[in-house]
mmCIF file of all heavy atoms in Angstrom:
data_model
loop_
_atom_site.group_PDB
_atom_site.id
_atom_site.type_symbol
_atom_site.label_atom_id
_atom_site.label_comp_id
_atom_site.label_asym_id
_atom_site.label_seq_id
_atom_site.Cartn_x
_atom_site.Cartn_y
_atom_site.Cartn_z
ATOM 1 N N ILE T 557 -4.477 -1.519 19.914
ATOM 2 C CA ILE T 557 -4.621 -2.823 19.265
ATOM 3 C C ILE T 557 -3.978 -2.886 18.025
ATOM 4 O O ILE T 557 -4.080 -2.017 17.097
ATOM 5 C CB ILE T 557 -6.144 -3.074 19.046
ATOM 6 C CG1 ILE T 557 -6.868 -2.974 20.319
ATOM 7 C CG2 ILE T 557 -6.313 -4.450 18.370
ATOM 8 C CD1 ILE T 557 -8.443 -3.147 20.175
ATOM 9 N N GLU T 558 -3.034 -3.820 17.833
ATOM 10 C CA GLU T 558 -2.147 -4.036 16.695
ATOM 11 C C GLU T 558 -2.913 -4.898 15.610
ATOM 12 O O GLU T 558 -3.513 -5.996 16.078
ATOM 13 C CB GLU T 558 -0.933 -4.644 17.027
ATOM 14 C CG GLU T 558 -0.014 -5.064 15.916
ATOM 15 C CD GLU T 558 1.283 -5.646 16.451
ATOM 16 O OE1 GLU T 558 1.850 -5.392 17.569
ATOM 17 O OE2 GLU T 558 1.903 -6.467 15.606
ATOM 18 N N PRO T 559 -2.920 -4.547 14.491
ATOM 19 C CA PRO T 559 -3.541 -5.368 13.443
ATOM 20 C C PRO T 559 -3.106 -6.752 13.404
ATOM 21 O O PRO T 559 -1.711 -6.953 13.642
ATOM 22 C CB PRO T 559 -3.313 -4.689 12.118
ATOM 23 C CG PRO T 559 -3.148 -3.164 12.443
ATOM 24 C CD PRO T 559 -2.421 -3.291 13.803
ATOM 25 N N SER T 560 -3.800 -7.744 13.194
ATOM 26 C CA SER T 560 -3.291 -9.239 13.144
ATOM 27 C C SER T 560 -2.523 -9.417 11.954
ATOM 28 O O SER T 560 -1.572 -10.330 11.882
ATOM 29 C CB SER T 560 -4.420 -10.190 13.114
ATOM 30 O OG SER T 560 -5.342 -9.938 12.050
ATOM 31 N N VAL T 561 -2.707 -8.775 10.860
ATOM 32 C CA VAL T 561 -2.066 -8.852 9.568
ATOM 33 C C VAL T 561 -1.878 -7.373 9.011
ATOM 34 O O VAL T 561 -2.656 -6.521 9.206
ATOM 35 C CB VAL T 561 -2.600 -9.854 8.511
ATOM 36 C CG1 VAL T 561 -2.600 -11.149 9.152
ATOM 37 C CG2 VAL T 561 -4.063 -9.303 8.178
ATOM 38 N N ASN T 562 -0.931 -7.236 8.141
ATOM 39 C CA ASN T 562 -0.782 -6.078 7.321
ATOM 40 C C ASN T 562 -1.504 -6.250 6.115
ATOM 41 O O ASN T 562 -1.055 -6.933 5.091
ATOM 42 C CB ASN T 562 0.653 -5.820 7.022
ATOM 43 C CG ASN T 562 0.937 -4.320 6.462
ATOM 44 O OD1 ASN T 562 -0.006 -3.778 5.916
ATOM 45 N ND2 ASN T 562 2.144 -3.830 6.588
ATOM 46 N N ALA T 563 -2.700 -5.499 5.914
ATOM 47 C CA ALA T 563 -3.677 -5.696 4.777
ATOM 48 C C ALA T 563 -3.723 -4.385 3.976
ATOM 49 O O ALA T 563 -4.498 -4.352 3.025
ATOM 50 C CB ALA T 563 -4.943 -6.060 5.215
ATOM 51 N N GLU T 564 -2.882 -3.430 4.216
ATOM 52 C CA GLU T 564 -3.036 -2.113 3.488
ATOM 53 C C GLU T 564 -2.433 -2.247 2.178
ATOM 54 O O GLU T 564 -1.641 -3.097 1.827
ATOM 55 C CB GLU T 564 -2.401 -1.092 4.270
ATOM 56 C CG GLU T 564 -0.902 -0.957 4.342
ATOM 57 C CD GLU T 564 -0.406 0.191 5.149
ATOM 58 O OE1 GLU T 564 -0.392 1.329 4.650
ATOM 59 O OE2 GLU T 564 0.099 -0.034 6.254
ATOM 60 N N LYS T 565 -2.843 -1.180 1.369
ATOM 61 C CA LYS T 565 -2.306 -1.080 -0.096
ATOM 62 C C LYS T 565 -1.217 -0.024 -0.151
ATOM 63 O O LYS T 565 -1.075 0.718 0.804
ATOM 64 C CB LYS T 565 -3.438 -0.685 -0.996
ATOM 65 C CG LYS T 565 -4.493 -1.792 -1.146
ATOM 66 C CD LYS T 565 -5.592 -1.454 -2.067
ATOM 67 C CE LYS T 565 -6.740 -2.416 -2.196
ATOM 68 N NZ LYS T 565 -7.848 -2.022 -3.202
ATOM 69 N N PRO T 566 -0.444 0.130 -1.191
ATOM 70 C CA PRO T 566 0.606 1.120 -1.313
ATOM 71 C C PRO T 566 -0.105 2.408 -1.282
ATOM 72 O O PRO T 566 -1.268 2.575 -1.595
ATOM 73 C CB PRO T 566 1.255 0.732 -2.686
ATOM 74 C CG PRO T 566 0.971 -0.682 -2.969
ATOM 75 C CD PRO T 566 -0.450 -0.887 -2.237
ATOM 76 N N ALA T 567 0.765 3.521 -0.980
ATOM 77 C CA ALA T 567 0.354 4.810 -0.924
ATOM 78 C C ALA T 567 -0.261 5.200 -2.352
ATOM 79 O O ALA T 567 0.176 4.811 -3.417
ATOM 80 C CB ALA T 567 1.543 5.810 -0.629
ATOM 81 N N GLY T 568 -1.360 6.019 -2.268
ATOM 82 C CA GLY T 568 -1.906 6.664 -3.532
ATOM 83 C C GLY T 568 -3.025 5.695 -3.985
ATOM 84 O O GLY T 568 -3.738 6.081 -4.947
ATOM 85 N N GLU T 569 -3.284 4.549 -3.434
ATOM 86 C CA GLU T 569 -4.435 3.706 -3.924
ATOM 87 C C GLU T 569 -5.581 3.792 -3.007
ATOM 88 O O GLU T 569 -5.386 4.053 -1.720
ATOM 89 C CB GLU T 569 -3.899 2.172 -3.870
ATOM 90 C CG GLU T 569 -2.812 1.957 -5.096
ATOM 91 C CD GLU T 569 -2.466 0.378 -5.188
ATOM 92 O OE1 GLU T 569 -3.469 -0.414 -4.791
ATOM 93 O OE2 GLU T 569 -1.526 0.069 -5.684
ATOM 94 N N TRP T 570 -6.707 3.723 -3.571
ATOM 95 C CA TRP T 570 -7.896 3.721 -2.688
ATOM 96 C C TRP T 570 -8.018 2.461 -1.818
ATOM 97 O O TRP T 570 -7.847 1.340 -2.333
ATOM 98 C CB TRP T 570 -9.203 3.854 -3.578
ATOM 99 C CG TRP T 570 -9.290 5.359 -4.047
ATOM 100 C CD1 TRP T 570 -9.016 5.808 -5.189
ATOM 101 C CD2 TRP T 570 -9.925 6.451 -3.252
ATOM 102 N NE1 TRP T 570 -9.315 7.109 -5.289
ATOM 103 C CE2 TRP T 570 -9.904 7.519 -4.020
ATOM 104 C CE3 TRP T 570 -10.314 6.620 -1.882
ATOM 105 C CZ2 TRP T 570 -10.321 8.838 -3.574
ATOM 106 C CZ3 TRP T 570 -10.696 7.779 -1.457
ATOM 107 C CH2 TRP T 570 -10.738 8.881 -2.330
ATOM 108 N N GLN T 571 -8.380 2.638 -0.545
ATOM 109 C CA GLN T 571 -8.547 1.586 0.325
ATOM 110 C C GLN T 571 -9.794 1.651 1.082
ATOM 111 O O GLN T 571 -10.415 2.638 1.392
ATOM 112 C CB GLN T 571 -7.380 1.512 1.416
ATOM 113 C CG GLN T 571 -6.017 1.722 0.751
ATOM 114 C CD GLN T 571 -4.893 1.413 1.842
ATOM 115 O OE1 GLN T 571 -4.840 0.350 2.438
ATOM 116 N NE2 GLN T 571 -4.037 2.427 1.973
ATOM 117 N N SER T 572 -10.461 0.420 1.357
ATOM 118 C CA SER T 572 -11.656 0.366 2.050
ATOM 119 C C SER T 572 -11.410 0.056 3.523
ATOM 120 O O SER T 572 -10.624 -0.788 3.958
ATOM 121 C CB SER T 572 -12.611 -0.637 1.380
ATOM 122 O OG SER T 572 -11.998 -1.962 1.595
ATOM 123 N N MET T 573 -12.326 0.606 4.462
ATOM 124 C CA MET T 573 -12.292 0.321 5.785
ATOM 125 C C MET T 573 -13.728 0.112 6.300
ATOM 126 O O MET T 573 -14.713 0.848 5.906
ATOM 127 C CB MET T 573 -11.710 1.427 6.672
ATOM 128 C CG MET T 573 -10.311 1.931 6.286
ATOM 129 S SD MET T 573 -9.598 3.233 7.370
ATOM 130 C CE MET T 573 -8.993 2.201 8.669
ATOM 131 N N ASP T 574 -13.939 -0.996 6.977
ATOM 132 C CA ASP T 574 -15.173 -1.395 7.418
ATOM 133 C C ASP T 574 -15.115 -1.573 9.036
ATOM 134 O O ASP T 574 -14.357 -2.500 9.446
ATOM 135 C CB ASP T 574 -15.580 -2.684 6.796
ATOM 136 C CG ASP T 574 -17.026 -3.126 7.230
ATOM 137 O OD1 ASP T 574 -17.617 -2.828 8.251
ATOM 138 O OD2 ASP T 574 -17.728 -3.845 6.386
ATOM 139 N N ILE T 575 -15.613 -0.679 9.816
ATOM 140 C CA ILE T 575 -15.346 -0.676 11.255
ATOM 141 C C ILE T 575 -16.652 -0.767 11.990
ATOM 142 O O ILE T 575 -17.651 -0.143 11.815
ATOM 143 C CB ILE T 575 -14.748 0.787 11.500
ATOM 144 C CG1 ILE T 575 -13.503 1.120 10.812
ATOM 145 C CG2 ILE T 575 -14.382 0.966 12.970
ATOM 146 C CD1 ILE T 575 -13.070 2.508 10.681
ATOM 147 N N THR T 576 -16.647 -1.761 12.976
ATOM 148 C CA THR T 576 -17.861 -1.826 13.749
ATOM 149 C C THR T 576 -17.429 -1.681 15.260
ATOM 150 O O THR T 576 -16.425 -2.245 15.825
ATOM 151 C CB THR T 576 -18.400 -3.315 13.673
ATOM 152 O OG1 THR T 576 -18.802 -3.464 12.290
ATOM 153 C CG2 THR T 576 -19.598 -3.446 14.493
ATOM 154 N N LEU T 577 -18.063 -0.775 15.924
ATOM 155 C CA LEU T 577 -17.835 -0.532 17.321
ATOM 156 C C LEU T 577 -19.221 -0.811 18.051
ATOM 157 O O LEU T 577 -20.208 -0.279 17.882
ATOM 158 C CB LEU T 577 -17.530 1.062 17.583
ATOM 159 C CG LEU T 577 -17.353 1.453 18.956
ATOM 160 C CD1 LEU T 577 -16.085 0.778 19.641
ATOM 161 C CD2 LEU T 577 -17.270 2.935 19.166
ATOM 162 N N HIS T 578 -19.064 -1.904 18.999
ATOM 163 C CA HIS T 578 -20.303 -2.305 19.703
ATOM 164 C C HIS T 578 -19.871 -2.714 21.005
ATOM 165 O O HIS T 578 -19.054 -3.626 21.242
ATOM 166 C CB HIS T 578 -20.914 -3.385 18.910
ATOM 167 C CG HIS T 578 -22.295 -3.816 19.471
ATOM 168 N ND1 HIS T 578 -23.258 -3.041 19.907
ATOM 169 C CD2 HIS T 578 -22.790 -5.093 19.754
ATOM 170 C CE1 HIS T 578 -24.240 -3.668 20.404
ATOM 171 N NE2 HIS T 578 -24.048 -4.996 20.275
ATOM 172 N N GLN T 579 -20.514 -2.158 22.042
ATOM 173 C CA GLN T 579 -20.344 -2.464 23.503
ATOM 174 C C GLN T 579 -18.818 -2.528 23.870
ATOM 175 O O GLN T 579 -18.186 -3.426 24.445
ATOM 176 C CB GLN T 579 -20.826 -3.888 23.790
ATOM 177 C CG GLN T 579 -22.379 -3.858 23.670
ATOM 178 C CD GLN T 579 -22.966 -5.318 23.847
ATOM 179 O OE1 GLN T 579 -22.234 -6.240 24.187
ATOM 180 N NE2 GLN T 579 -24.307 -5.493 23.609
ATOM 181 N N ARG T 580 -18.099 -1.460 23.442
ATOM 182 C CA ARG T 580 -16.706 -1.284 23.649
ATOM 183 C C ARG T 580 -15.820 -2.426 23.091
ATOM 184 O O ARG T 580 -14.723 -2.762 23.627
ATOM 185 C CB ARG T 580 -16.398 -1.117 25.130
ATOM 186 C CG ARG T 580 -16.846 0.225 25.652
ATOM 187 C CD ARG T 580 -16.346 0.562 27.073
ATOM 188 N NE ARG T 580 -16.911 -0.279 28.066
ATOM 189 C CZ ARG T 580 -16.467 -0.515 29.267
ATOM 190 N NH1 ARG T 580 -15.201 0.032 29.585
ATOM 191 N NH2 ARG T 580 -16.986 -1.294 30.040
ATOM 192 N N HIS T 581 -16.218 -2.971 21.998
ATOM 193 C CA HIS T 581 -15.444 -3.995 21.280
ATOM 194 C C HIS T 581 -15.379 -3.528 19.859
ATOM 195 O O HIS T 581 -16.386 -2.986 19.301
ATOM 196 C CB HIS T 581 -16.163 -5.413 21.340
ATOM 197 C CG HIS T 581 -15.992 -6.059 22.694
ATOM 198 N ND1 HIS T 581 -16.740 -5.605 23.801
ATOM 199 C CD2 HIS T 581 -15.162 -7.038 23.002
ATOM 200 C CE1 HIS T 581 -16.322 -6.486 24.828
ATOM 201 N NE2 HIS T 581 -15.300 -7.230 24.428
ATOM 202 N N LEU T 582 -14.334 -3.796 19.280
ATOM 203 C CA LEU T 582 -13.974 -3.181 17.948
ATOM 204 C C LEU T 582 -13.576 -4.304 16.825
ATOM 205 O O LEU T 582 -12.955 -5.262 17.161
ATOM 206 C CB LEU T 582 -12.721 -2.306 17.991
ATOM 207 C CG LEU T 582 -12.127 -1.583 16.728
ATOM 208 C CD1 LEU T 582 -13.182 -0.575 16.333
ATOM 209 C CD2 LEU T 582 -10.834 -0.945 16.983
ATOM 210 N N THR T 583 -14.188 -4.065 15.628
ATOM 211 C CA THR T 583 -13.806 -4.878 14.469
ATOM 212 C C THR T 583 -13.426 -4.020 13.413
ATOM 213 O O THR T 583 -14.077 -2.999 13.143
ATOM 214 C CB THR T 583 -14.943 -5.835 14.064
ATOM 215 O OG1 THR T 583 -15.333 -6.722 15.057
ATOM 216 C CG2 THR T 583 -14.655 -6.607 12.827
ATOM 217 N N VAL T 584 -12.288 -4.306 12.840
ATOM 218 C CA VAL T 584 -11.814 -3.529 11.646
ATOM 219 C C VAL T 584 -11.499 -4.450 10.505
ATOM 220 O O VAL T 584 -10.697 -5.365 10.685
ATOM 221 C CB VAL T 584 -10.489 -2.689 12.010
ATOM 222 C CG1 VAL T 584 -10.059 -1.861 10.693
ATOM 223 C CG2 VAL T 584 -10.831 -1.658 13.131
ATOM 224 N N ILE T 585 -12.114 -4.151 9.464
ATOM 225 C CA ILE T 585 -11.833 -4.899 8.123
ATOM 226 C C ILE T 585 -11.260 -3.887 7.205
ATOM 227 O O ILE T 585 -11.834 -2.962 6.770
ATOM 228 C CB ILE T 585 -13.139 -5.581 7.541
ATOM 229 C CG1 ILE T 585 -13.776 -6.504 8.493
ATOM 230 C CG2 ILE T 585 -12.853 -6.298 6.268
ATOM 231 C CD1 ILE T 585 -15.164 -6.925 8.207
ATOM 232 N N LEU T 586 -9.901 -4.201 6.874
ATOM 233 C CA LEU T 586 -9.160 -3.323 5.862
ATOM 234 C C LEU T 586 -9.123 -4.031 4.519
ATOM 235 O O LEU T 586 -8.521 -5.229 4.463
ATOM 236 C CB LEU T 586 -7.861 -2.997 6.497
ATOM 237 C CG LEU T 586 -6.938 -2.036 5.655
ATOM 238 C CD1 LEU T 586 -7.549 -0.748 5.394
ATOM 239 C CD2 LEU T 586 -5.490 -2.013 6.378
ATOM 240 N N ASN T 587 -9.483 -3.431 3.474
ATOM 241 C CA ASN T 587 -9.479 -3.950 2.186
ATOM 242 C C ASN T 587 -9.857 -5.499 2.163
ATOM 243 O O ASN T 587 -9.298 -6.332 1.382
ATOM 244 C CB ASN T 587 -8.021 -3.889 1.649
ATOM 245 C CG ASN T 587 -7.503 -2.436 1.557
ATOM 246 O OD1 ASN T 587 -8.239 -1.571 1.177
ATOM 247 N ND2 ASN T 587 -6.310 -2.200 2.045
ATOM 248 N N GLY T 588 -11.023 -5.713 2.859
ATOM 249 C CA GLY T 588 -11.613 -7.127 2.813
ATOM 250 C C GLY T 588 -11.055 -8.011 3.806
ATOM 251 O O GLY T 588 -11.525 -9.285 3.865
ATOM 252 N N THR T 589 -9.921 -7.746 4.541
ATOM 253 C CA THR T 589 -9.328 -8.589 5.503
ATOM 254 C C THR T 589 -9.505 -8.088 6.881
ATOM 255 O O THR T 589 -9.312 -6.868 7.173
ATOM 256 C CB THR T 589 -7.802 -8.631 5.205
ATOM 257 O OG1 THR T 589 -7.561 -9.176 3.930
ATOM 258 C CG2 THR T 589 -7.261 -9.586 6.230
ATOM 259 N N THR T 590 -9.965 -8.935 7.754
ATOM 260 C CA THR T 590 -10.255 -8.690 9.214
ATOM 261 C C THR T 590 -8.948 -8.522 9.833
ATOM 262 O O THR T 590 -8.248 -9.537 9.962
ATOM 263 C CB THR T 590 -11.189 -9.764 9.847
ATOM 264 O OG1 THR T 590 -12.456 -9.798 9.083
ATOM 265 C CG2 THR T 590 -11.380 -9.374 11.300
ATOM 266 N N ILE T 591 -8.656 -7.251 10.311
ATOM 267 C CA ILE T 591 -7.277 -7.126 10.986
ATOM 268 C C ILE T 591 -7.470 -6.890 12.488
ATOM 269 O O ILE T 591 -6.578 -7.104 13.248
ATOM 270 C CB ILE T 591 -6.580 -5.945 10.411
ATOM 271 C CG1 ILE T 591 -7.418 -4.622 10.524
ATOM 272 C CG2 ILE T 591 -6.251 -6.337 8.907
ATOM 273 C CD1 ILE T 591 -6.539 -3.418 10.100
ATOM 274 N N ILE T 592 -8.771 -6.622 12.977
ATOM 275 C CA ILE T 592 -9.129 -6.579 14.380
ATOM 276 C C ILE T 592 -10.350 -7.137 14.451
ATOM 277 O O ILE T 592 -11.427 -6.825 13.921
ATOM 278 C CB ILE T 592 -9.097 -5.105 14.943
ATOM 279 C CG1 ILE T 592 -7.770 -4.375 14.926
ATOM 280 C CG2 ILE T 592 -9.647 -5.064 16.406
ATOM 281 C CD1 ILE T 592 -7.800 -2.846 15.228
ATOM 282 N N ASP T 593 -10.534 -8.317 15.348
ATOM 283 C CA ASP T 593 -11.752 -9.100 15.260
ATOM 284 C C ASP T 593 -12.397 -9.147 16.617
ATOM 285 O O ASP T 593 -12.080 -9.793 17.549
ATOM 286 C CB ASP T 593 -11.349 -10.582 14.977
ATOM 287 C CG ASP T 593 -12.485 -11.536 14.671
ATOM 288 O OD1 ASP T 593 -13.691 -10.912 14.734
ATOM 289 O OD2 ASP T 593 -12.303 -12.799 14.480
ATOM 290 N N ASN T 594 -13.281 -8.154 16.697
ATOM 291 C CA ASN T 594 -14.261 -8.098 17.981
ATOM 292 C C ASN T 594 -13.364 -8.023 19.239
ATOM 293 O O ASN T 594 -13.684 -8.720 20.281
ATOM 294 C CB ASN T 594 -15.168 -9.241 17.935
ATOM 295 C CG ASN T 594 -16.458 -8.918 18.597
ATOM 296 O OD1 ASN T 594 -16.801 -7.799 19.020
ATOM 297 N ND2 ASN T 594 -17.226 -10.077 18.952
ATOM 298 N N GLN T 595 -12.360 -7.185 19.216
ATOM 299 C CA GLN T 595 -11.449 -7.084 20.337
ATOM 300 C C GLN T 595 -11.851 -6.034 21.325
ATOM 301 O O GLN T 595 -12.484 -4.983 20.991
ATOM 302 C CB GLN T 595 -10.003 -6.639 19.859
ATOM 303 C CG GLN T 595 -9.445 -7.798 19.062
ATOM 304 C CD GLN T 595 -9.109 -8.998 19.725
ATOM 305 O OE1 GLN T 595 -8.416 -8.918 20.815
ATOM 306 N NE2 GLN T 595 -9.678 -10.114 19.356
ATOM 307 N N PRO T 596 -11.670 -6.225 22.609
ATOM 308 C CA PRO T 596 -12.095 -5.289 23.713
ATOM 309 C C PRO T 596 -11.180 -3.942 23.621
ATOM 310 O O PRO T 596 -9.970 -4.029 23.398
ATOM 311 C CB PRO T 596 -11.765 -5.961 24.991
ATOM 312 C CG PRO T 596 -10.710 -6.929 24.576
ATOM 313 C CD PRO T 596 -10.979 -7.445 23.254
#
């Protein structure tokens, strides 16, 4: 699954990941931006 947008920060900076896995569907929020939205 390709991220919908590039939301990462430059190397060496702290980054946040918020990942939900439910019923074989995935949501990834990187640095406050949803890049994978409840995808199978």
Side-chain angles (χ1 to χ4, degrees):
I557 303 180
E558 179 177 330
S560 57
V561 295
N562 189 339
E564 71 178 285
K565 296 180 181 180
E569 295 188 20
W570 282 100
Q571 308 189 58
S572 65
M573 303 185 82
D574 187 332
I575 303 163
T576 299
L577 177 65
H578 186 44
Q579 296 177 6
R580 290 192 288 161
H581 285 75
L582 177 69
T583 297
V584 178
I585 303 171
L586 179 63
N587 299 319
T589 299
T590 300
I591 62 172
I592 298 176
D593 190 5
N594 207 13
Q595 294 294 303

